[in-house]
Amino acid sequence: MLLSRLARVSREVAATSARSRKIALLGGLFRDADAEDAPIVIPYLAGRLPQGRLGVGWKILGQGVPPAAEPTLTVRDVDARLTRIGAVTGVGSQAERKRLVGELLAAATDEEQRFLVALLTGEVRQGALDALAVEGLAEATGAAPADVRRAVMLAGSLRTVARAVLANGPGALDAFRLTVGRPVLPMLAHTASSVAEAVGKLGACAVEEKLDGIRVQVHRDGDVVRIHTRTLDDITGRLPELASAALRLAGERFILDGEVIALDEDGRPRSFQETSGRVGSRLDVATAAAAVPVSPVFFDALSVDGRDLLDLPFTDRHAELARLVPEPMRVRRTLVEGPGDLAAAEAFLAETLRRGHEGVVVKALDSPYSAGRRGASWLKVKPVHTRDLVVLAAEWGHGRRTGKLSNLHLGARNPDGSFTMLGKTFKGMTDAMLTWQTGRLKELAVEDNGWVVTVRPELVVEIAYDGLQRSSRYPAGVTLRFARVVRYREDKRPEEADTVESLLTAHPGAAP
DNA sequence: TTCCGACAGTGGGGTCGCAAT
DNA sequence: ATTGCGACCCCACTATCGGAA
């Protein structure tokens, strides 16, 4: 199949807003892909590279290569070239990658170039990713969408499922079963604003500690342990203490879901940054593990002794977990009968926060494990802080925000009337707010360098955030975590904005 | 007819490792 | 030695479509 066909379909998918039409376009293309093309075409149309990332970014892509006049590139040709580009390492590798990317772009037409650049930078922006590609694949093969979706969850890979179902038809989907050693997409949680809201929605539920660490899925098959992240990357080699903990458990074959977190001597959680740094370090794992040991804390069991537990209610899965994993390695929890039992849930949240953790996850007791979906049966609740800050500057937006001032630079007040930047946010704005703030900030503009518009510090905005974290980027040595706009405070003058001092006082743990 | 679940888009900060400077 | 860059951790929120109620 020619790349030009793919690039054209991608443009057509981007041009329509109707999901049904996007699915039909994707399905039509997949139907024409042969078994060799499919494992390339499908991830491309889901906006992803089969090779994963290649170490190619704007630096290498922005070289301005004149396009080819006629389309000649096939998708298999492109795949082979990209595989070669990804394999380049060592001194001078960036120059060599740049040369190879230049050759590829020179062989591509204008439309193909634009598609390749979008693909390599992860900015396909066609309004269709994995979920719609799954629907398109179902349409192309006559399989039920739910069956394809489940196979993808269990395989942890759309590409593998696509190859099988295109080669052998819908019957091939039955072969995808939960298998120890093969990671599955983890179940995710929605957000609720309070424990009362969460318990009100779920009824009988478990309220569990939410730990601020790294999600892990642990597979053990006899003597072999594999550990995967939320995106299914294999990090077994980075967590030797977790692997040996898994080998000490009483079962021989299982899949567990949980979190790893660094704790201090008193058992209090260390900052997310410390856990993340530890789990991220790859070179000298023994030294890293000695300096910052991490603890596994499990909360679910997906498979035990060859039994697939995914469709069992959470109560039954947890019973299996409790048989296998001793209490200190399980997440702390309390059971709640329903809204009549709210006080117990509130008390548990308060106790969890006192122990230094992030919040709680409220889980329906009767729900199955919805792999790969943000099922509404898990609801996280975290405390939210708010502050009134001042807009110091704003950045021009991209994509659907092109032409709008989007990303705000936020400042807190100093005693002398100046402001200290604490971070940025683009979250929480409605389209109406984007339009309004673009006009208002243009009135306050003192400079526009084409990327950042600096403004007079006069506009006050109420910002919600999850806490302070240490920063080497911002002058106060701290920054806001997950900042988002709540509303503009035109009733407030900048002299009434909150101060750096008050923030540091409110979050003493983060002070530099 | 209205409501709501699922998706995609829009980017935030940090850390690590690698290659270039 | 320092800097720049990409990958991958954590993540909130709004708009939209289309099926469910």
Side-chain angles (χ1 to χ4, degrees):
Chain A
M1 179 178 286
L2 285 175
L3 179 66
S4 64
R5 167 104 197 264
L6 206 120
R8 191 176 66 246
V9 169
S10 175
R11 185 165 48 74
E12 289 168 352
V13 169
T16 176
S17 65
R19 279 176 199 162
S20 48
R21 177 81 187 127
K22 289 178 192 284
I23 291 166
L25 286 163
L26 294 173
L29 186 77
F30 295 164
R31 207 173 295 122
D32 292 345
D34 63 41
E36 291 295 308
D37 286 337
I40 307 164
V41 168
I42 288 180
Y44 280 12
L45 263 295
R48 278 186 299 103
L49 286 171
Q51 290 90 349
R53 298 269 86 91
L54 299 177
V56 174
W58 288 109
K59 187 88 176 178
I60 283 178
L61 288 165
Q63 45 182 311
V65 178
E70 293 297 320
T72 55
L73 282 171
T74 66
V75 293
R76 264 180 268 175
D77 188 17
V78 172
D79 184 57
R81 286 169 183 252
L82 292 179
T83 298
R84 209 155 66 233
I85 289 166
V88 178
T89 54
V91 174
S93 63
Q94 201 180 70
E96 177 64 2
R97 278 201 297 274
K98 183 169 183 174
R99 192 183 67 75
L100 291 169
V101 168
E103 277 182 11
L104 173 62
L105 292 176
T109 64
D110 190 47
E111 184 174 49
E112 289 171 333
Q113 279 196 357
R114 266 180 279 137
F115 179 75
L116 286 171
V117 168
L119 186 62
L120 287 164
T121 54
E123 298 186 25
V124 171
R125 286 182 176 136
Q126 60 187 11
L129 296 173
D130 265 21
L132 294 202
V134 162
E135 300 280 335
L137 185 60
E139 193 174 289
T141 58
D147 293 347
V148 180
R149 197 153 47 228
R150 184 170 175 90
V152 170
M153 290 164 194
L154 296 177
S157 155
L158 172 59
R159 193 188 185 204
T160 312
V161 173
R163 182 190 283 138
V165 73
L166 278 165
N168 301 315
L173 295 175
D174 293 339
F176 293 98
R177 300 224 171 81
L178 185 66
T179 309
V180 177
R182 192 162 66 189
V184 298
L185 298 174
M187 182 165 173
L188 305 173
H190 276 286
T191 302
S193 58
S194 67
V195 167
E197 181 192 325
V199 175
K201 279 184 177 169
L202 299 183
C205 55
V207 181
E208 300 188 338
E209 276 182 343
K210 184 177 191 316
L211 306 178
D212 196 7
I214 306 281
R215 184 84 175 263
V216 286
Q217 189 178 109
V218 179
H219 293 239
R220 174 178 169 187
D221 188 356
D223 295 336
V224 180
V225 175
R226 299 269 92 183
I227 305 165
H228 297 270
T229 65
R230 192 164 92 79
T231 51
L232 310 189
D233 279 6
D234 189 329
I235 54 166
T236 310
R238 301 186 217 168
L239 295 171
E241 65 266 62
L242 176 48
S244 58
L247 287 172
R248 284 197 304 275
L249 296 178
E252 284 282 310
R253 282 165 58 78
F254 53 74
I255 305 172
L256 301 180
D257 192 1
E259 195 95 356
V260 286
I261 186 166
L263 303 173
D264 67 16
E265 300 77 17
D266 308 327
R268 287 183 71 84
R270 298 169 81 155
S271 73
F272 173 73
Q273 285 159 303
E274 289 174 279
T275 297
S276 170
R278 159 61 213 283
V279 177
S281 72
R282 274 167 281 190
L283 291 187
D284 184 353
V285 169
T287 306
V292 185
V294 293
S295 308
V297 187
F298 295 107
F299 48 70
D300 214 322
L302 314 191
S303 170
V304 173
D305 297 331
R307 281 173 296 124
D308 175 345
L309 310 178
L310 291 178
D311 292 324
L312 294 184
F314 183 41
T315 300
D316 298 353
R317 298 200 310 279
H318 192 273
E320 294 286 345
L321 178 73
R323 283 201 312 122
L324 193 64
V325 179
E327 190 166 3
M329 274 166 61
R330 300 200 306 264
V331 76
R332 289 162 56 92
R333 70 204 301 252
T334 190
L335 294 177
V336 170
E337 309 247 335
D341 204 6
L342 200 55
E346 307 268 16
F348 185 82
L349 171 59
E351 167 68 8
T352 299
L353 295 175
R354 203 186 54 71
R355 291 165 51 85
H357 294 297
E358 230 191 330
V360 295
V361 184
V362 182
K363 300 180 176 176
L365 290 175
D366 58 0
S367 71
Y369 191 91
S370 337
R373 318 209 85 179
R374 215 168 261 287
S377 47
W378 288 10
L379 297 171
K380 57 183 160 184
V381 181
K382 297 189 284 186
V384 176
H385 314 277
T386 68
R387 281 290 187 280
D388 293 322
L389 302 177
V390 172
V391 180
L392 306 178
E395 297 172 15
W396 292 108
H398 299 89
R400 70 185 296 281
R401 292 191 178 187
T402 300
K404 296 277 167 43
L405 283 170
S406 171
N407 198 5
L408 305 178
H409 295 200
L410 303 168
R413 191 163 53 86
N414 297 311
D416 66 0
S418 65
F419 296 93
T420 297
M421 184 169 172
L422 283 175
K424 309 181 190 179
T425 184
F426 57 91
K427 296 173 187 167
M429 301 138 184
T430 62
D431 286 358
M433 285 169 79
L434 278 165
T435 301
W436 180 85
Q437 77 186 21
T438 301
R440 187 74 187 93
L441 291 169
K442 275 174 159 174
E443 292 170 7
L444 296 173
V446 294
E447 195 197 337
D448 180 355
N449 65 12
W451 174 39
V452 179
V453 175
T454 308
V455 300
R456 296 200 302 277
E458 295 176 11
L459 194 54
V460 178
V461 62
E462 184 179 341
I463 297 294
Y465 63 102
D466 279 22
L468 288 190
Q469 58 184 352
R470 285 185 187 222
S471 171
S472 56
R473 179 178 315 210
Y474 292 109
V478 294
T479 186
L480 303 172
R481 194 170 186 206
F482 309 141
R484 59 269 191 191
V485 171
V486 178
R487 58 176 169 153
Y488 276 100
R489 293 298 306 263
E490 287 190 281
D491 56 316
K492 281 206 165 188
R493 290 175 295 117
E495 309 87 77
E496 300 173 278
D498 283 301
T499 60
V500 180
E501 183 75 40
S502 79
L503 271 141
L504 292 173
T505 306
H507 305 282

